[in-house]
């Protein structure tokens, strides 16, 4: 089970929430981060995912897009992508996998305005499949706070 961590400790700009798994793999600790933004209306989820992959390339070098899929509904689109790359942590080179989920939430007062929440799991290739279900559980908990008990607006079927 992941434990919350101070967002400023993960060295990723804009992170509002972070969690780490207590069992590292060769000195790499799997982690989940959550960040959000309100992009301009014309910016697509695909463009946001491309920007995220590009930021990772700038930090890590070669990044391979292993998987990308648009999910959700017309009212609440979502996108998932899986990136693979190598990175040095603690003087050790690791083969890493990053699963990202982009969820959109329309502004109830202005439907042309939307928030995009990016949830990211980063783990070694060896640990990724072991922690993926826990990440998917976190993704399923993300929904807008509408003040009502009903679940509205979440991108259905968003899986990494």
């Amino acid at each position: 089970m992941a434990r919350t961590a101070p967002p400023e400790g993960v060295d990723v700009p804009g992170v509002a929430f972070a969690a780490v798994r207590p069992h590292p793999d060769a000195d790499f600790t799997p982690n989940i981060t959550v960040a959000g933004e309100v992009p301009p209306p014309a910016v697509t989820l695909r463009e946001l995912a491309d920007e995220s992959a590009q930021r990772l390339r700038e930090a890590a070098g070669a990044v391979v897009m292993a998987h990308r899929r648009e999910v959700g509904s017309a009212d609440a689109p979502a996108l998932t992508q899986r990136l693979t790359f190598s990175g040095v942590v603690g003087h050790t080179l690791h083969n890493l996998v990053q699963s990202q989920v982009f969820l959109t939430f329309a502004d109830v007062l202005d439907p042309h305005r939307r928030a995009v929440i990016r949830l990211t799991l980063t783990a070694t290739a060896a640990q990724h499949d072991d922690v993926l279900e826990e990440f998917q559980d976190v993704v399923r908990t993300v929904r807008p706070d509408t003040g009502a008990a009903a679940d509205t607006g979440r991108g259905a079927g968003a899986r990494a």
Side-chain angles (χ1 to χ4, degrees):
M1 181 61 83
R3 296 180 187 156
T4 59
E8 59 276 3
V10 294
D11 196 30
V12 178
V15 169
F17 173 83
V20 295
R21 184 141 186 163
H23 307 292
D25 177 20
D27 296 329
F28 185 84
T29 303
N31 61 80
I32 295 170
T33 60
V34 179
E37 64 182 293
V38 178
V43 175
T44 67
L45 284 181
R46 186 172 287 276
E47 290 170 325
L48 293 173
D50 287 344
E51 288 174 13
S52 181
Q54 182 57 37
R55 281 192 305 275
L56 187 56
R57 281 184 192 93
E58 291 168 3
V63 173
V64 174
M65 174 82 60
H67 169 82
R68 180 182 277 178
R69 186 173 67 161
E70 293 183 39
V71 296
S73 66
D75 292 335
L79 181 141
T80 67
Q81 70 180 8
R82 186 168 297 147
L83 309 169
T84 60
F85 59 102
S86 295
V88 176
V89 178
H91 306 292
T92 303
L93 181 66
H94 296 277
N95 292 323
L96 301 172
V97 178
Q98 192 171 88
S99 289
Q100 301 177 341
V101 176
F102 296 81
L103 303 174
T104 59
F105 300 95
D107 184 321
V108 294
L109 300 177
D110 179 2
H112 298 292
R113 190 173 136 100
R114 74 200 192 304
V116 176
I117 306 298
R118 183 183 71 246
L119 298 100
T120 303
L121 164 67
T122 307
T124 63
Q127 274 194 326
H128 183 268
D129 290 347
D130 293 337
V131 297
L132 183 59
E133 186 174 332
E134 191 171 337
F135 176 61
Q136 291 169 337
D137 289 344
V138 170
V139 171
R140 282 190 280 274
T141 67
V142 178
R143 52 185 51 85
D145 181 4
T146 61
D151 175 43
T152 60
R154 178 156 172 248
R159 300 199 98 179

